[in-house]
Amino acid sequence: MFSQPDRPAPPRWAERLLEWFVAPHLLDYVQGDLHETFHKQVVQLGIDRAQRNYVWAVLHCLTPFFAKRQAAGSTQAGPPQAGPRKAKRLSIDYNPNPALTDMLHNYLKIAFRNLLHQKSYSLINLFGLATGLAMALLIIQYVRFELSYENAYPLANRLVRLTTDYMNGGTVDAQDAEVYPPLAAKASQEMNEIANFTRVYPIRKPTATIQISDQYYLVDNVYAVDSSFFSMFNYPLLRGSRNGLFTRPRQAILTKAMALTYFKTLDVVGKTLKIPQRQGRVLLEIVGVIPDSPVNTHLKINMLLSYPTMLSDFGEQEDNWNTNNTYTYVQLADHVSDDGFAKSLAAFTDRLLREKKLNNERVIGQKIGDIHLYSHKTFETEPNGEAQSVYFLLGVAFLVLVSALVNYVNLTTAKSLDRAREIGVRKVVGSTQGQIRTQIVTETVLLNSLAGVLAVGLVAGLRSVFVQMAGLPEGFTVLGDVFFWESVGVFLFISIGLSGFYPAFVLSAFDPVTVLKGNFSRSIKGSWLRKSLVVFQFTITLILLVQLFAVYQQVGFLRNQNLGVTIDHTLVVKAPVGANARPDYGAFRQLLLQQARVKAVSFSGTVPGLGSTQLATTTGINLSDAVKKTYYNYYLTTIDTSFIDLMGIRLLAGKNFDATTRPGFSDTTNRQLIVNEETLRLWGIPRAGEAIGRRVNFWGHQATIRGVVKNYHYESPKAAYISIIHMYSPSFNSFASVKFTGGTAEQQLATLKQIYEARFPHSPFSYFFMDSEYDKQYKADDRFQQVFGALTLFAILISCLGLFGLATFTVSKRTKEIGIRKVIGASTTNLLVLLARDFVGTVLISILIGLPITYVVVNNWLSHYAVRIDLSWWLFATPAGLVLLLVLVSIGGKTIGTALMNPVNSLRSD
Amino acid sequence: MKKTVLGELEELVLLVVAASTEDVYGVPVMEQLHQLTGRNFTISAVHTTLYRLEEKGFLTSSVGGATTERGGRSKRLFSLTAEGGRVLRQIQQMRTRLWDAIPQGKLLLLGL
């Protein structure tokens, strides 16, 4: 064959496959044609498409027609004689080592026959293995995605985020993902472990408003960063130049998606956009375009501003140790160990404490790779995942797979009795033990391969459902992923290993003399193993089922919690942006209140349901007469006079704000506060009534407690109550909550939208329903519940199938015995008890083993929730009863059928 | 022998071979088929059909020249046998009879 290194060639492996597969007398022509087409396509379609088409064509050739080998006697390599070949068959075996392939062929043939012969067993095994495999494959893809966070950054394991722990004495009171703006520069000056740093300042949580010509848009994930950001996070510039980038104020960089959305082109360098401010607006020049953020990063970006813009236009100061709203990432120098850095950081914190830069706070470093699964601080850039549930699901998936393997081993060894005679005969006629083993392993390989194909089909079919269920990004590919096929291979290998070898050894070890003499009996050892495997399987099933029950109960319980606020019929709309928006808030409120269906309107700094991250936090508050200073974390928000009524919050003592109250921050001498019960607890005031009129030291100023409200859940009831301090503000700066008396959601929305757009024509209308915002807090739980529920169902199904197979087999072995018992006079009930006793006993043992384990597992899981269900007996009894019921159902049909059978039929054959 | 039935693809391939004035082997047949029908056939389908037609005695084949494009591999050139020609003629006649059997104006009434 010619070798032409300069010319494009089809993929080597495909050629090999073809050469190996296609009958030699056809190979030349087929391959020639394929090559010819390939070279034509290289010119027409390019090398990639041509190669793909080549592979496709080769795969099409994998048919029996092309594999038919030529007669060994006739000319092998050359082309056959020309002329009509009417009656000539092509299917005489040709191969270099007939003995070997003949044997293989024979093994496969027998294996196929065995599988076909025992259709129901094969189907049970096939179905079990395929679903087990499919589940394991899907989950492993999911787990892999969750673990892949930040992998797109080459420097990921050198990048550390600096965060703040608020200490109250020796204990951590709260953890904040953000730090003070000057920290990064100072740390990098004082610690030579730091090679580089970038500050990342989020603009206007939760979303920034941008203005392009006279249109306003809401954009989230807008950050002001240092120029070092691009190299640390490996963002190349698609447009623009790195020279002097982000050293001056008012520079902006868009992501590709943003540029295409708002400008319909990537060539946006030199164009401008604005960010409206309280006074005027900031004019930004676009200096570059970066690629979109990877889907698996905690720091997703839409737009970046140069950090100096922060200092000039957004009120940040280079040396501000009072507000910490800045994410800070540092790049460790080479050869710096994690431990070394942690020690150095601790020393640095101590210096800061001595210099009074920090007060009862500690700077903590965390690897960015740990953020997604392990970090649950306040003010994270996005809600993070949970390592525990990810690994839990992985474990469950493997248990499902193991359960399927257990079925296989159980059924195969149980059936060994049937095959004992076959194997005895084989041995007598001269089979070696090795050959018999090979035969049995071949069967396993065959079945597993079929299961593998089926599993891949299942994965392809379930992909989109799964992606939605598990909350994966939409374009998540499974089948196009090399790792997927690797895991298919590994799983098949493991499953062949686990399911093939034990039966092979058991079956091949039969003593032919005993077997053929006919006094071969069931081995005690085998049945013990089988029983323990069934126990194992059902213990798993039970644990999963109880856990699933607990999950459903807990999530349902959380949903039914009294939130302390009434969230129905309440729409929330964001404050308007744009030139003349501010004076209109009073008129806006009046207009809304004139509507027939509107009951109340309230302006507030944030609203419950958005989560505590939307609240401001502070530690510097104490009762004026407090003996000992504490450093608890308090959450601050502003409300107006109608907030408490509208939200249905109960006022326990004191008064609501009224029109005479002076707005929160303007009054430095007599600030009025309404606090919740949790705040009172931190201050050590036992009764609400005693708090009224007490003085509070608030950032160096005096404030008076005016009222106390009952605790309410600011975020999902999953979290404990937080201490909330309300101050008065009548203006429409952040959110307006509108409570309707009735009407459909569409009507409510239409009313609000119409008035909002009439009042604030330039501003984007951004709204949400309060109850749906609370619902979002359950999303992670819902997903976990769904994925876990599906897995559990499959585990149960597979276990029951296995039991069904075993029961069918056992009963069929005892048909004759049952006939005799019936003739002698056993009642149907007697027989049923006799047949079911074994299985029920086995399953009862697994219930006994499973329940204590379950108790520990469930207890452990529930301990993560602040509000949780009580563990009652029925939470365990119901699943146990259900398992028992399932067992009876799966063994029932066959058993009852056999017990009712006319003994004449079962006894006649002898 | 019972009457030979040709599949649609077999018939198409046989017609392509019959119509061709030059050397016929896998690739040109595939390309012709694509041009004439607008459908994509894989080379394996074309080969299978060619060989099947040969087995049935409608085609005969010989080994043809190799080109560099083919990596030095030879072609199997096919040509129509008399038997093949007869079958084609039979098919045509059968079709014509069926066409003639369509009542006059029926297709016209269907707006065709």
Side-chain angles (χ1 to χ4, degrees):
Chain A
M1 253 158 248
F2 301 174
S3 83
Q4 291 154 322
D6 295 330
R7 294 188 52 172
R12 187 78 200 115
W13 64 269
E15 278 205 89
R16 280 267 172 76
L17 182 67
L18 194 75
E19 281 161 18
W20 172 77
F21 195 81
V22 172
H25 67 276
L26 296 175
L27 181 65
D28 238 25
Y29 319 123
V30 176
Q31 211 173 15
D33 278 5
L34 280 174
H35 270 248
E36 195 178 326
T37 319
F38 173 75
H39 288 299
K40 275 185 192 162
Q41 290 191 345
V42 168
V43 180
Q44 288 164 4
L45 307 169
I47 177 90
D48 285 344
R49 294 262 317 262
Q51 287 201 335
R52 242 178 294 151
N53 288 347
Y54 184 90
V55 171
W56 191 237
V58 167
L59 292 180
H60 265 273
C61 288
L62 297 182
T63 63
F65 174 83
F66 289 97
K68 281 175 186 168
R69 306 298 188 178
Q70 208 179 357
S74 77
T75 48
Q76 280 169 16
Q81 300 79 10
R85 288 184 286 163
K86 233 178 212 169
K88 196 160 141 196
R89 302 303 307 164
L90 290 162
S91 62
I92 308 161
D93 283 314
Y94 157 80
N95 61 58
N97 183 350
L100 200 91
T101 36
D102 275 357
M103 278 307 281
L104 191 66
H105 191 207
N106 186 259
Y107 284 140
L108 274 174
K109 192 151 71 181
I110 304 284
F112 254 118
R113 282 178 189 166
N114 269 326
L115 291 185
L116 285 179
H117 184 63
Q118 315 158 350
K119 277 197 195 68
S120 59
Y121 297 100
S122 306
L123 275 178
I124 289 174
N125 283 330
L126 197 62
F127 177 79
L129 281 175
T131 46
L133 266 174
M135 291 299 119
L137 285 169
L138 280 173
I139 294 291
I140 204 164
Q141 285 298 105
Y142 160 74
V143 171
R144 189 161 161 268
F145 175 77
E146 287 288 303
L147 296 182
S148 75
Y149 268 66
E150 326 306 339
N151 280 356
Y153 307 130
L155 287 173
N157 61 6
R158 301 267 81 196
L159 295 183
V160 171
R161 183 172 76 175
L162 299 184
T163 64
T164 325
D165 276 11
Y166 297 113
M167 309 298 290
N168 186 26
T171 56
V172 179
D173 189 44
Q175 296 188 303
D176 192 336
E178 299 168 320
V179 292
Y180 302 102
L183 188 85
K186 196 165 168 60
S188 130
Q189 249 168 38
E190 295 190 14
M191 295 166 65
N192 50 17
E193 287 88 351
I194 296 176
N196 209 348
F197 71 86
T198 180
R199 292 161 292 188
V200 176
Y201 185 98
I203 307 284
R204 285 262 192 101
K205 290 171 218 168
T207 44
T209 314
I210 62 168
Q211 184 189 356
I212 295 169
S213 55
D214 61 348
Q215 271 302 314
Y216 292 93
Y217 307 96
L218 293 172
V219 179
D220 48 10
N221 299 328
V222 178
Y223 299 96
V225 300
D226 289 300
S227 62
S228 50
F229 179 86
F230 300 97
S231 59
M232 283 169 71
F233 284 92
N234 190 44
Y235 277 103
L237 282 173
L238 301 177
R239 295 287 189 279
S241 117
R242 258 180 206 282
N243 263 347
L245 188 74
F246 270 30
T247 49
R248 282 177 294 116
R250 300 177 179 176
Q251 294 182 319
I253 282 185
L254 303 185
T255 56
K256 194 175 158 189
M258 279 277 291
L260 292 177
T261 312
Y262 294 111
F263 294 97
K264 315 271 177 273
T265 169
L266 282 187
D267 297 308
V268 292
V269 172
K271 296 190 176 180
T272 57
L273 54 84
K274 292 173 202 151
I275 293 191
Q277 278 288 77
R278 236 165 238 193
Q279 268 88 40
R281 58 199 61 179
V282 180
L283 183 72
L284 299 157
E285 186 197 357
I286 301 171
V287 294
V289 178
I290 54 171
D292 297 335
S293 298
V295 284
N296 48 358
T297 175
H298 75 286
L299 189 62
K300 295 186 176 77
I301 287 161
N302 280 323
M303 186 164 95
L304 295 174
L305 310 183
S306 62
Y307 195 77
T309 314
M310 284 310 307
L311 305 174
S312 64
D313 300 313
F314 288 86
E316 196 56 87
Q317 292 154 30
E318 196 81 68
D319 197 37
N320 179 3
W321 289 92
N322 288 319
T323 38
N324 56 338
N325 293 333
T326 311
Y327 299 108
T328 295
Y329 297 87
V330 297
Q331 181 185 335
L332 300 189
D334 295 340
H335 316 302
V336 172
S337 71
D338 296 348
D339 282 350
F341 179 71
K343 275 194 194 114
S344 180
L345 194 62
F348 173 67
T349 303
D350 286 341
R351 285 200 294 280
L352 289 175
L353 284 168
R354 273 200 301 279
E355 290 171 30
K356 303 250 184 240
K357 300 284 191 204
L358 297 184
N359 206 351
N360 250 296
E361 288 150 65
R362 206 163 282 168
V363 181
I364 302 293
Q366 58 181 168
K367 286 277 189 74
I368 63 165
D370 290 342
I371 292 175
H372 178 65
L373 288 181
Y374 298 97
S375 179
H376 300 288
K377 303 183 188 252
T378 49
F379 303 99
E380 294 280 359
T381 48
E382 63 170 18
N384 283 329
E386 184 90 56
Q388 215 197 358
S389 29
V390 169
Y391 289 117
F392 183 77
L393 288 180
L394 184 65
V396 173
F398 273 102
L399 289 180
V400 173
L401 185 58
V402 167
S403 202
L405 295 178
V406 164
N407 276 355
Y408 185 81
V409 171
N410 267 354
L411 290 181
T412 320
T413 52
K415 296 284 287 178
S416 62
L417 226 67
D418 276 2
R419 297 194 64 184
R421 206 167 289 257
E422 172 207 335
I423 288 160
V425 172
R426 273 167 176 270
K427 278 195 170 175
V428 169
V429 294
S431 276
T432 63
Q433 197 157 337
Q435 281 169 331
I436 291 167
R437 238 175 254 166
T438 317
Q439 173 63 51
I440 291 157
V441 171
T442 311
E443 274 167 39
T444 316
V445 172
L446 185 68
L447 194 81
N448 272 293
S449 313
L450 286 176
V453 172
L454 216 62
V456 170
L458 267 177
V459 168
L462 293 176
R463 192 201 69 94
S464 57
V465 180
F466 182 77
V467 162
Q468 220 191 355
M469 229 188 212
L472 293 166
E474 256 170 50
F476 188 77
T477 58
V478 174
L479 299 184
D481 187 8
V482 179
F483 178 84
F484 172 78
W485 296 102
E486 285 168 2
S487 43
V488 171
V490 170
F491 276 148
L492 280 181
F493 189 77
I494 294 173
S495 117
I496 288 167
L498 287 180
S499 60
F501 286 95
Y502 178 73
F505 274 88
V506 171
L507 296 184
S508 63
F510 286 144
D511 175 17
V513 180
T514 334
V515 169
L516 293 180
K517 263 160 106 185
N519 49 12
F520 176 79
S521 63
R522 204 185 304 229
S523 90
I524 303 292
K525 221 175 82 192
S527 90
W528 261 108
L529 181 90
R530 214 148 41 236
K531 275 184 186 157
S532 15
L533 283 176
V534 170
V535 167
F536 171 73
Q537 209 175 27
F538 273 86
T539 308
I540 293 172
T541 310
L542 183 73
I543 293 174
L544 293 181
L545 203 58
V546 173
Q547 178 80 28
L548 186 66
F549 258 65
V551 170
Y552 269 91
Q553 286 295 324
Q554 173 68 17
V555 174
F557 180 72
L558 286 181
R559 279 184 183 278
N560 291 327
Q561 276 297 301
N562 183 7
L563 294 169
V565 287
T566 47
I567 55 175
D568 55 323
H569 294 304
T570 312
L571 257 160
V572 182
V573 61
K574 274 202 74 176
V577 288
N580 51 1
R582 288 186 51 73
D584 287 349
Y585 67 83
F588 176 62
R589 186 204 292 266
Q590 281 315 312
L591 262 178
L592 275 173
L593 286 172
Q594 282 161 20
Q595 300 301 310
R597 284 203 197 89
V598 175
K599 198 164 136 198
V601 178
S602 165
F603 300 146
S604 57
T606 103
V607 290
L610 279 184
S612 61
T613 55
Q614 295 305 317
L615 296 160
T617 62
T618 183
T619 54
I621 302 182
N622 270 293
L623 284 178
S624 300
D625 52 3
V627 189
K628 195 169 152 270
K629 253 184 136 186
T630 56
Y631 294 91
Y632 290 112
N633 198 36
Y634 302 93
Y635 293 83
L636 304 173
T637 184
T638 57
I639 60 174
D640 63 3
T641 52
S642 45
F643 183 85
I644 289 180
D645 279 349
L646 185 146
M647 294 292 169
I649 297 167
R650 243 183 83 199
L651 196 65
L652 295 175
K655 297 180 292 186
N656 192 356
F657 295 127
D658 55 39
T660 63
T661 319
R662 290 168 64 190
F665 289 93
S666 65
D667 192 341
T668 52
T669 53
N670 192 20
R671 246 172 223 164
Q672 303 273 307
L673 308 177
I674 293 179
V675 301
N676 68 348
E677 291 173 290
E678 177 66 12
T679 318
L680 288 194
R681 197 183 64 77
L682 295 185
W683 283 338
I685 301 174
R687 263 183 303 278
E690 292 174 27
I692 307 305
R694 293 282 289 268
R695 305 283 279 172
V696 175
N697 207 332
F698 196 129
W699 296 338
H701 301 297
Q702 290 292 308
T704 311
I705 304 175
R706 178 190 176 94
V708 177
V709 293
K710 201 170 164 44
N711 277 340
Y712 60 96
H713 284 284
Y714 218 94
E715 44 193 352
S716 91
K718 254 194 286 188
Y721 289 118
I722 54 176
S723 59
I724 305 170
I725 298 176
H726 310 82
M727 285 180 292
Y728 176 66
S729 163
S731 58
F732 186 14
N733 285 332
S734 305
F735 295 102
S737 312
V738 185
K739 173 85 79 187
F740 289 84
T741 48
T744 63
E746 289 81 29
Q747 291 166 340
Q748 296 170 358
L749 184 58
T751 311
L752 181 59
K753 190 171 176 171
Q754 186 219 327
I755 293 174
Y756 187 94
E757 285 180 346
R759 283 315 308 175
F760 315 112
H762 292 291
S763 181
F765 176 70
S766 170
Y767 73 95
F768 53 87
F769 284 89
M770 230 171 131
D771 43 5
S772 69
E773 208 56 32
Y774 267 101
D775 265 357
K776 277 190 196 159
Q777 313 256 4
Y778 302 107
K779 218 174 196 170
D781 290 309
D782 281 347
R783 279 175 183 157
F784 179 73
Q785 190 174 316
Q786 280 175 2
V787 175
F788 179 52
L791 277 175
T792 306
L793 281 183
F794 276 109
I796 294 170
L797 191 64
I798 289 171
S799 305
C800 287
L801 266 181
L803 206 58
F804 170 75
L806 274 184
T808 312
F809 174 76
T810 317
V811 166
S812 74
K813 286 286 106 175
R814 295 174 76 173
T815 316
K816 203 150 285 183
E817 176 200 333
I818 287 158
I820 294 169
R821 280 176 190 269
K822 258 199 144 170
V823 170
I824 295 173
S827 71
T828 313
T829 327
N830 282 343
L831 290 174
L832 277 180
V833 171
L834 179 81
L835 289 171
R837 198 171 49 195
D838 252 17
F839 290 108
V840 173
T842 316
V843 172
L844 279 177
I845 293 174
S846 39
I847 290 177
L848 281 182
I849 298 175
L851 285 182
I853 304 176
T854 319
Y855 183 78
V856 175
V857 173
V858 171
N859 231 346
N860 184 32
W861 177 74
L862 280 177
S863 67
H864 293 273
Y865 289 89
V867 184
R868 52 181 178 258
I869 47 168
D870 295 324
L871 289 179
S872 51
W873 61 272
W874 58 264
L875 192 65
F876 298 91
T878 317
L882 203 61
V883 166
L884 214 54
L885 189 72
L886 282 169
V887 169
L888 288 176
V889 168
S890 43
I891 62 174
K894 201 75 190 177
T895 317
I896 292 171
T898 317
L900 292 178
M901 220 159 88
N902 189 347
V904 173
N905 293 329
S906 56
L907 295 176
R908 194 161 45 190
S909 58
D910 273 353
Chain B
M1 192 182 124
K2 83 180 177 199
K3 201 145 171 117
T4 317
V5 178
L6 282 186
E8 191 215 2
L9 182 59
E10 285 181 328
E11 187 186 333
L12 286 173
V13 169
L14 198 58
L15 280 168
V16 167
V17 176
S20 176
T21 50
E22 291 165 31
D23 284 353
V24 189
Y25 59 99
V27 177
V29 172
M30 185 174 67
E31 286 169 354
Q32 282 284 315
L33 282 175
H34 177 63
Q35 266 177 29
L36 293 170
T37 65
R39 283 149 60 189
N40 273 319
F41 294 96
T42 58
I43 199 76
S44 69
V46 173
H47 271 264
T48 318
T49 315
L50 282 170
Y51 285 110
R52 191 168 294 140
L53 288 171
E54 189 183 358
E55 269 182 64
K56 288 180 176 172
F58 301 141
L59 292 178
T60 171
S61 71
S62 60
V63 178
T67 59
T68 42
E69 230 182 9
R70 300 173 62 86
R73 292 176 190 89
S74 46
K75 299 169 184 169
R76 178 162 284 272
L77 303 174
F78 291 87
S79 54
L80 194 68
T81 61
E83 183 77 18
R86 260 196 294 282
V87 160
L88 282 177
R89 167 79 20 101
Q90 274 170 19
I91 290 172
Q92 197 199 14
Q93 282 167 356
M94 184 263 290
R95 298 253 147 113
T96 320
R97 274 201 301 281
L98 284 172
W99 272 100
D100 292 344
I102 301 176
Q104 259 192 342
K106 186 164 189 176
L107 293 180
L108 219 64
L109 283 174
L110 291 171
L112 297 168

